[in-house]
Amino acid sequence: MTAEPHVHRDPILDPPKKKKKLSTGAIVGIAMSVIVHGLAGLYLYNNKFVLKEMTYEDEAVDVELMEVPPPPPPPPPPRPR
């Protein structure tokens, strides 16, 4: 085995390491998400929530109450023989 020398990095004096860039798929996914959220926000902003007004009229109705006829009398008891 060959021993690789350890490289000491001084964070103050050495330039920063290069960061990896985002992949094309990640960029496309983020862009699509931003577009969809923007369209959803625009739709909700422009949507008018209007209550449907209903008018009710109070019309008095003349009602004639009829008296209920009394129940018929019970049948007479049977005659004993």
Side-chain angles (χ1 to χ4, degrees), residues 8-46:
H8 178 72
R9 181 178 177 280
D10 187 8
I12 296 175
L13 300 176
D14 292 341
K17 293 182 180 180
K18 292 184 180 179
K19 294 183 179 180
K20 293 183 182 179
K21 293 183 180 179
L22 288 177
S23 67
T24 306
I27 292 173
V28 170
I30 292 171
M32 291 297 290
S33 175
V34 168
I35 290 170
V36 168
H37 281 89
L39 290 174
L42 184 65
Y43 172 75
L44 290 175
Y45 179 74
N46 288 332

Side-chain angles (χ1 to χ4, degrees), residues 13 15 22 29 31-32 34 40-42 44 49 51-52 57-58 60 62 65-66 68 70-71 73 76-77:
L13 300 176
L22 288 177
M32 291 297 290
V34 168
L42 184 65
L44 290 175
F49 294 104
L51 291 176
K52 295 179 183 176
E57 295 178 17
D58 188 19
D62 290 333
L65 296 177
M66 298 173 45
V68 179

